[in-house]
Amino acid sequence: SFLNQEPTTVLTLIISNHPDPIINTMATDGETINLMSKEGDPFPVELEVAKMSELVKTMMEGDGDDDDEEVTEIPLPNVKSQILTKVIEFCQHYKGDPMNEIEKPLKSSEMSEVVQRWYADFVNVEQPVLFELILAANYMDIKPLLDLTCATVASMIKGKTPEEIRRTFNITNDFSPEEEAQVREENKWCEEA
């Protein structure tokens, strides 16, 4: 009977049959690995989810010597706990509901018109968090996350003048008026397109 099962078995049944794909991918019957953040915090993650990272996949394959030593934790010294939490959230969601391919060039500066709502909301974060997500996605080699975060930055630039882009990203203009005029002249073809 259902009530005579071990608590972990019952939890696994409930989670794996849950209609929400995020919760569904949290089923505990799969093998897990600990991803270790910069701060040394362990994040237990299902192997299938963790292997979305090419870095993790490569590190799990090890150095090729057949010592049968199973890898149980992967150090990620370049990824802070706060960011690793977001990366794992992305990967878990992606496993249950993959993101639409991002069309290039972007068809809109509104991310909700480029990808599903969940993904657009996911990258609706403060700039420092967005930039750290880009660095983490690049370091961990998670292509869909890198595509999403870079497309978000591209959407922030789309249709803006250089001055507006500088304001958006708090970039100081270090060109003299003469240098700026020269760059504009050399790149006039960009504005004509």
Side-chain angles (χ1 to χ4, degrees), residues 2 5 14-15 26 48 54-55 75 86 88 96 102 107-108 112 126-127 154 157 162 165 183 186:
F2 183 73
Q5 298 292 320
I14 292 169
I15 290 174
M26 293 168 52
E48 182 184 337
E54 291 297 321
L55 173 71
K86 295 277 294 172
I88 293 167
I102 297 174
K107 60 184 176 185
S108 172
S112 60
E126 297 291 321
Q127 275 187 26
I157 293 171
I165 293 169
V183 169
E186 290 170 359

Side-chain angles (χ1 to χ4, degrees), residues 3 8 13 20 23 34 51 53 63 65 71 84 90 94 118 129 142 146 149 151 153-154 162 166 171 175 182:
L3 296 174
T8 55
L13 287 169
D20 185 332
I23 293 173
N34 280 326
K51 285 184 176 179
S53 163
D63 53 16
D65 60 0
V71 178
L84 187 52
F90 173 88
Y94 189 92
W118 187 92
V129 173
I142 304 172
L146 187 60
T149 51
V153 172
R166 284 189 197 106
I171 300 170
F175 286 121
Q182 180 184 351

Side-chain angles (χ1 to χ4, degrees), residues 142-175:
I142 304 172
K143 187 181 182 326
L145 180 56
L146 187 60
D147 288 348
L148 176 64
T149 51
C150 288
T152 302
V153 172
S155 75
M156 296 164 77
I157 293 171
K158 188 173 178 66
K160 292 188 176 174
T161 65
E163 293 76 26
E164 291 170 326
I165 293 169
R166 284 189 197 106
R167 278 195 301 277
T168 299
F169 296 105
N170 198 24
I171 300 170
T172 306
N173 182 1
D174 55 359
F175 286 121

Side-chain angles (χ1 to χ4, degrees), residues 61-73:
E61 291 168 0
D63 53 16
D65 60 0
D66 294 324
D67 57 8
D68 288 336
E69 198 172 300
E70 192 175 316
V71 178
T72 58
E73 59 181 52

Side-chain angles (χ1 to χ4, degrees), residues 71-92:
V71 178
T72 58
E73 59 181 52
I74 302 286
L76 300 170
N78 295 356
V79 186
K80 294 178 187 169
S81 292
Q82 173 198 7
I83 301 303
L84 187 52
T85 300
K86 295 277 294 172
V87 169
I88 293 167
E89 177 186 2
F90 173 88
C91 292
Q92 287 174 330

Side-chain angles (χ1 to χ4, degrees), residues 92-118:
Q92 287 174 330
H93 188 86
Y94 189 92
K95 281 294 181 190
D97 181 21
M99 182 176 69
N100 296 339
E101 178 100 13
I102 297 174
E103 293 179 34
K104 297 165 191 88
L106 289 179
K107 60 184 176 185
S108 172
S109 61
E110 292 295 321
M111 287 306 293
S112 60
E113 296 175 18
V114 177
V115 293
Q116 299 100 306
R117 168 66 60 197
W118 187 92

